[in-house]
Amino acid sequence: MEAFLDFLANIPWWVWILFFILLVAIRDIFFQKAHTISHNYPVVGHLRYWLESIGPEMRQYFVANNREELPFNRIERSWIYASAKKENNYEGFGTDRDIYKHQHIFIKNAMIGFQSPKDHTNTKHPYFLPCAKVMGAYNQRKKPYRPASIINVSAMSFGSLSAAAIESLNAGVEKCGAYHNTGEGGLSPYHKQGGDVIFHFGTGYFGVRSKDGGFSMDKLKVLVDENPCIKAIEIKLSQGAKPGKGGVLPGSKITPELAEIRGVEVGVDVISPPTHKAFSTIPELMDLIESIAEETGLPVGIKGAVGKVDQWQELADLMKKTGKGPDFITIDGGEGGTGAAPPSFADHVSLPWSYGFTSVYKIFLDHGLTERIVFIGSGKLGFPGKAAMAFAMGADCINVAREAMMSIGCIQAQVCHTNRCPAGVATQSKWRQSGINVPLKSDRLAQYFNTFKKEFLEITHAAGYEHPCQFHMEDIQVNVDDDYLSSDIRKIYKYQKDKVPFTSMQDLYQCEHLGGKKELN
Ligand SMILES: Cc1cc2nc3c(=O)[nH]c(=O)nc-3n(C[C@H](O)[C@H](O)[C@H](O)COP(=O)(O)O)c2cc1C
């Protein structure tokens, strides 16, 4: 035995390496049946799989230029990271964009911009930028709500995001007066860190689900009564990344905590169908909206991605006829994000935000209904320039999902669907999320939102206005094509945005329905 051990010890290290390579080659050729490349090119074939797996990171760090990547390029990501960390978010030497490029957006500045008087509300509160409309005011809901921030956290559930991420987002919105949309997964304890909440439900009715998987009004009433942080309810019809796509939450992922929050059984598969059980026609949807508003006293809205517009038309007709309807409408763009979706849906189903929003807004404008509705936009709008265009088209608020994720550390690894998010944001792994420092990350979200609001206000002032609700279609110009070169968006989309009633920032500050914590706004 000793002689054998001596023999092994005397084998040079490089012979061990050759031996190992030989074993891998034998496995590749004779035993594994899954990979043709490894079979035909034993050992070296592995390099291909390895290089393929690190390709996205290599391209992100070394190869892609500043404006190349999607969904968010390096300049956009860096602006969010720097804003969230309160670092220098300026760029030097001028823009690196080709500003003659198709679809480039221009905001028309005034010859002499808006001059704030010394005692202006924004002199004392530089980050105060609330919604100019009140949700539920027209329909005289019992508890109308004015979002205290025009930028807010879009629907993302506990389940698609980690507990630490949800906690950071909620504590963050509290610090800057914004609201936090729960997403489809129900209201979790992590959503209750002090921020305003919009409770959102989809076809799975998580958190307000009856035994047979339908909608339970009783559960919603209890939820709203027990949680005064809920300021409004959003019924999800669809989202831009996967309209009409149902889903299955595998029983293996349903822990006792998730089951309790979502109102489902531990370990049993749960199906979210592609459409709702609670309604199947527009009049039934209207009835549901009215009964939820009646029972809870809260403003009720809908969220949808836009494709065909005939049912939007039917909704507007019915609103006109009955004098009732949703208090807010969230329009999500086809460029919107998701925790997981088939590429065929994410790439092709539903219109991008500008096309979808304008076609729906126009319908409500033609019916004279815009004043009743708070219009919310989502789809890569978390940048002040893009938000200015959205407001000029008729948006009253914007929701951001991935931009908010980035402010708390997401690096756009695009692996939300694998549970292996390296930043701990979109994962349920306890280890990965333990790296998230909630107080620090919540500060970062608040700083990103505050920087956004400040910069957006500066752009608004440069255009000669006090509040972005005063932007109109002729304030924004877009490069169209070689024949027309460039045109204001009124000519492109063929409507003028309805005037939003606005008196002064001070009046908004004093509004009795203003959300957020007054002392923190
Ligand atoms: C991780 C993740 C989870 C999401 N979950 C939901 C959801 O539960 N319900 C929903 O309506 N939209 C959901 N969305 C879509 C976002 O709310 C938002 O509409 C979309 O991402 C566009 O905003 P963005 O471009 O700022 O990311 C999710 C998006 C992401 C990235």
Side-chain angles (χ1 to χ4, degrees), residues 154-155 160 184 200 236 239 303 332 337 380 400-403:
S154 197
S160 71
E184 283 189 74
H200 162 113
K236 173 182 173 175
Q239 75 182 87
K303 170 174 179 173
D332 199 26
K380 293 166 68 171
V400 292
R402 290 163 295 176
E403 297 91 319

Side-chain angles (χ1 to χ4, degrees), residues 72 154-157 160-161 182-185 200 234 236 238-240 303 332-333 335-339 378-382 399-403 405 416 426:
F72 297 91
S154 197
M156 288 182 286
S157 58
S160 71
L161 297 193
T182 57
E184 283 189 74
H200 162 113
E234 184 175 77
K236 173 182 173 175
S238 57
Q239 75 182 87
K303 170 174 179 173
D332 199 26
E335 62 273 65
T338 173
S378 54
K380 293 166 68 171
L381 296 176
N399 280 350
V400 292
R402 290 163 295 176
E403 297 91 319
M405 288 166 70
C416 315

Side-chain angles (χ1 to χ4, degrees), residues 146-174:
R146 184 193 294 279
S149 164
I150 48 94
I151 179 169
N152 299 285
V153 175
S154 197
M156 288 182 286
S157 58
F158 166 57
S160 71
L161 297 193
S162 63
I166 297 280
E167 254 182 40
S168 306
L169 294 175
N170 195 274
V173 297
E174 197 221 356

